[in-house]
Amino acid sequence: MTSEQKKKMIVLMINMFIAIGSFGIIIPILPAYLASIGEGGLAAGLMIAIFAGAQFFMSPIAGKWADQYGRRIMIILGLAGLTLSMFVFYAFDSVWMLYFSRIIGGAGAALLIPALFAYVADITSLEQRAKGNSYISASMSLGIVIGPGIGGFLAEYGLKMPLLVSALISLVATIFSILVLKESREVAEVAHVQESESMIKKIALSVKKPYFIPLIITLVMSFGLMAYESVLGLFIDNQFGATPKEIAIMITATGIISVIVQLFVVDRIVRAIGEGNVLNTFLIVAAIGFFLSLFASSYSIFFGITLIIFLATSILRPVINTLISKLAGNEQGFAMGMNNAYMSIGNVLGPTLAGILYDVNLIYPFLLGLVILSITIFVSFLWQSKEKKKLMSLETK
């Protein structure tokens, strides 16, 4: 990358890190805060579902706008939405206002994330795309790791202190982007998708796109990862008597692994064997992880299996983004918006179904993940085989 590309990438990484980290700050205090206003597990679950639901419904529209009005304005509006969400969260103790803040936050994330990945596509070549996406994914993972740690420290100064700091940090990121971030491309004169089209029509349109199968894989990966994460603490507490400290160590370790892999490994693996082979290989690795989790007999063994699963998904995420980006052509915003929408579907369905299945049998969420991943592996191989045949037929003409 040139020095100018690197400067732009650093700005994007800072934005993503602050956006994800500012929400992560509130995670350690959320159970205690909800208890202080007379709420419990249902409210905590709805916080996740409402955010992901708002992100889902807004994502295709946001991706379309990123193509029509430009990446910069969508990134700024997304950060502003996240900032407003955190200030509302801080200012009110009514659970309904907290739900409202999650709607604003989900919409803000939907504006921000597709525009960020579309921006990366604008400033990188096809050869650099995987590396650029892995940097953005690494900044997400770093935010997930560092945010909760800062939140736990700030909670010593008052239960609401992390909420205020989160809002202020997000505000700084918004101002920073207004002052520093420049538009990455010429704003499109004509939109690829009509504004009047409903979410159902946008989803239907995505089925016909060349990147539909990678979108499905995005959904499945989000579904499996969120399902896994949502029952992780309950499972190791029930099965192995893990302490809160041991649960925290596991989450932090997997986050650190993700950051390291996305910064230093993804690009090298892609250059060595290509996106398609990486996709198939690490879908298989993730499936093996889910299979092994069915037989884990101790906390340390389950810890190791969890690292394998998160290693695989931390490689898969930027690679899938790169595949979608390469296949999207000149509709990067719409493609990344749909990518975000499919991810949100997984984020809503994963924890919901995992929670239901966990109450029936605590092994069932892992078994479901294994079955879905196995089907996805088959679909991925079949799709790539068809793509290769298409390419060969074009070359012979």
Side-chain angles (χ1 to χ4, degrees), residues 2 9-10 59 92 100 102 108 130 158 168 173-174 177 180 185 195 212 268 284 288 351 353 372 377 380:
T2 65
M9 190 64 66
I10 289 170
S59 287
F92 296 93
F100 177 62
R102 304 313 296 139
L168 292 173
T174 306
S177 291
V180 175
R185 62 191 277 277
E195 294 276 0
F212 173 64
R268 294 180 182 181
I284 292 171
I288 290 171
L353 288 179
I372 290 177
I377 291 167
S380 178

Side-chain angles (χ1 to χ4, degrees), residues 61 70 76 105 138 152 212 309 339 366 385:
I61 301 169
I76 291 170
F212 173 64
I309 292 172
N339 185 40
F366 308 107
S385 176

Side-chain angles (χ1 to χ4, degrees), residues 360-373:
V360 177
N361 188 306
L362 50 81
I363 289 295
Y364 284 175
F366 308 107
L367 190 59
L368 175 66
L370 174 61
V371 170
I372 290 177
L373 276 171

Side-chain angles (χ1 to χ4, degrees), residues 54-64 110 114 199 333 337-338 340-341 344:
Q55 193 174 2
F56 165 67
F57 283 108
M58 191 68 189
S59 287
I61 301 169
K64 162 69 171 54
M199 166 61 72
M338 293 310 303
N340 209 22
S344 298

